[in-house]
Amino acid sequence: MSLPILQLANLKTHFPVHRGFVFKRQVGTVKAVDGVSLTVHRGEVLGLVGESGCGKSTLARTILQLVPATEGAIILEGRNLTRSSAAEIKAARRHLQMVFQDPYASLNPRLTVYATLAEPMLVHKICPRDEVAHRIAELMQTVGLPPLSQKKYPHEFSGGQRQRIAIARALALQPRLIIADEPVSALDVSIQAQILNLLSQLVRRMHLSLVFIAHDLSVVKHISDRVAVMYLGKIVELGLAIDVIERPLHPYTRALVSAIPTFRPDGGRPRIVLPGDPPSPLNPPSGCAFHPRCPYATVACQAAVPPLERSKASHEVACIRAAEIAGPR
């Protein structure tokens, strides 16, 4: 495996909760991201999955320093962004870009496509001003849009086309790492396939690294090299995509995998329905955060937070009963 382009070390993003209008006092802390350690290698696609509210988007925004980290380190190509100045973070963002979930919300409706793509190039001085038009035409062709459409505004495009523009904007600075936060969840199924294929082609052709955030495990399996499963601000399982999805070890991952639609006559895996709702990050359970909903939970699961460590299988899992759940191999 190549050297890592991004390393997260015990990364935490906590939000204080205050009460009162005049004399505000802190009454709690929302632990949106709570001790995440990850590595993304050059040319790798890392899938990040989990149900809504588990902290995936907050983790993505923290990596880009759009949300300040409470604790831990974000190391991009050897530089710790949590200890960098504003000027250094601005320079680092040239190599670290993001594609947001809703392209209509992330694109400025008052700017044409040309202005949207030209602005980052001029701010970061990617090329001389007289070469910008040529580079924008190349970008439009790269993402599968006619160059003449650069004169249009975002509302004149379909959802899939707007997402292609958002991808072109991310590529404008020739980044080394792109974070895609559920880039296909708001699109039709046929358009989803086109955007996924486009991202896969760009990763191979431009030697990009990609953190792909999604709910749909079948989509993640299609595009990812490795998969990280997140629950209540923590990574609970991490490994090769084929291993995590075909041979899940954590009970939460098993429940997610069982929800993947199947076309097999026998129905495939039995559906696992988890009891209750996800606990609040404002008041997480003691020990393993998943134990109130886990069919395998014991008293020991309530005592201590299980570390993310390598199991007998080829990937890492945060569960003290992972070996028993997996059974003999």
Side-chain angles (χ1 to χ4, degrees):
M1 184 70 74
S2 59
L3 294 175
I5 188 171
L6 176 70
Q7 293 175 284
L8 308 181
N10 194 34
L11 187 64
K12 298 181 181 181
T13 307
H14 296 173
F15 300 100
V17 177
H18 296 93
R19 183 174 295 171
F21 292 100
V22 180
F23 301 103
K24 290 187 177 181
R25 59 189 179 90
Q26 184 173 337
V27 296
T29 302
V30 174
K31 299 178 179 179
V33 178
D34 195 26
V36 170
S37 296
L38 279 177
T39 298
V40 181
H41 296 273
R42 298 179 190 276
E44 178 187 38
V45 179
L46 176 70
L48 183 62
V49 301
E51 59 195 336
S52 296
C54 71
K56 304 185 303 297
S57 295
T58 302
L59 177 61
R61 292 169 183 267
T62 303
I63 293 172
L64 274 87
Q65 291 291 273
L66 299 176
V67 175
T70 305
E71 187 179 319
I74 304 167
I75 302 172
L76 179 68
E77 297 184 312
R79 175 183 296 172
N80 189 347
L81 298 185
T82 59
R83 296 182 179 179
S84 299
S85 64
E88 290 172 332
I89 291 174
K90 177 183 175 182
R93 285 193 181 132
R94 173 181 172 181
H95 307 296
L96 177 63
Q97 289 292 297
M98 187 165 180
V99 178
F100 294 90
Q101 179 177 358
D102 184 359
Y104 196 76
S106 63
L107 296 174
N108 190 331
R110 296 176 179 271
L111 297 182
T112 63
V113 173
Y114 179 91
T116 297
L117 300 182
E119 183 178 37
M121 293 183 189
L122 296 174
V123 168
H124 288 271
K125 301 178 181 178
I126 297 298
C127 62
R129 186 176 291 270
D130 56 358
E131 295 181 13
V132 168
H134 176 68
R135 291 181 61 85
I136 289 177
E138 288 183 337
L139 276 175
M140 297 292 283
Q141 291 178 330
T142 298
V143 299
L145 291 174
L148 291 178
S149 61
Q150 62 187 270
K151 299 179 181 180
K152 296 181 179 180
Y153 290 87
H155 72 271
E156 299 180 78
F157 295 90
S158 67
Q161 290 174 324
R162 286 197 291 266
Q163 197 61 287
R164 289 174 185 269
I165 296 169
I167 293 171
R169 181 178 61 183
L171 294 174
L173 298 181
Q174 300 174 338
R176 299 188 182 99
L177 173 66
I178 291 179
I179 300 176
D181 186 8
E182 300 191 41
V184 297
S185 61
L187 306 178
D188 294 337
V189 175
S190 60
I191 305 302
Q192 287 183 13
Q194 295 176 19
I195 298 299
L196 288 173
N197 290 335
L198 173 62
L199 288 172
S200 296
Q201 293 167 9
L202 292 173
V203 167
R204 292 193 302 270
R205 188 192 317 164
M206 305 179 73
H207 306 291
L208 294 170
S209 299
L210 176 67
V211 177
F212 185 85
I213 300 174
H215 285 98
D216 192 338
L217 274 172
S218 59
V219 169
V220 171
K221 180 182 177 182
H222 170 75
I223 195 173
S224 304
D225 299 309
R226 289 191 301 146
V227 171
V229 182
M230 196 169 183
Y231 184 80
L232 208 66
K234 298 181 182 293
I235 302 297
V236 296
E237 192 159 358
L238 173 66
L240 295 176
I242 188 68
D243 289 334
V244 172
I245 295 175
E246 295 296 333
R247 293 175 290 277
L249 298 179
H250 197 281
Y252 177 63
T253 311
R254 291 165 68 93
L256 291 179
V257 170
S258 75
I260 298 176
T262 179
F263 298 100
R264 290 173 53 180
D266 61 359
R269 290 188 176 94
R271 181 75 167 89
I272 300 174
V273 180
L274 298 175
D277 296 318
S280 169
L282 182 61
N283 185 26
S286 62
C288 175
F290 187 64
H291 84 258
R293 308 171 71 194
C294 180
Y296 304 95
T298 65
V299 175
C301 298
Q302 305 176 33
V305 178
L308 185 69
E309 56 189 7
R310 188 166 296 279
S311 67
K312 292 181 180 179
S314 58
H315 56 279
E316 299 171 86
V317 61
C319 178
I320 63 174
R321 302 196 63 193
E324 302 172 53
I325 294 170
R329 297 184 61 82

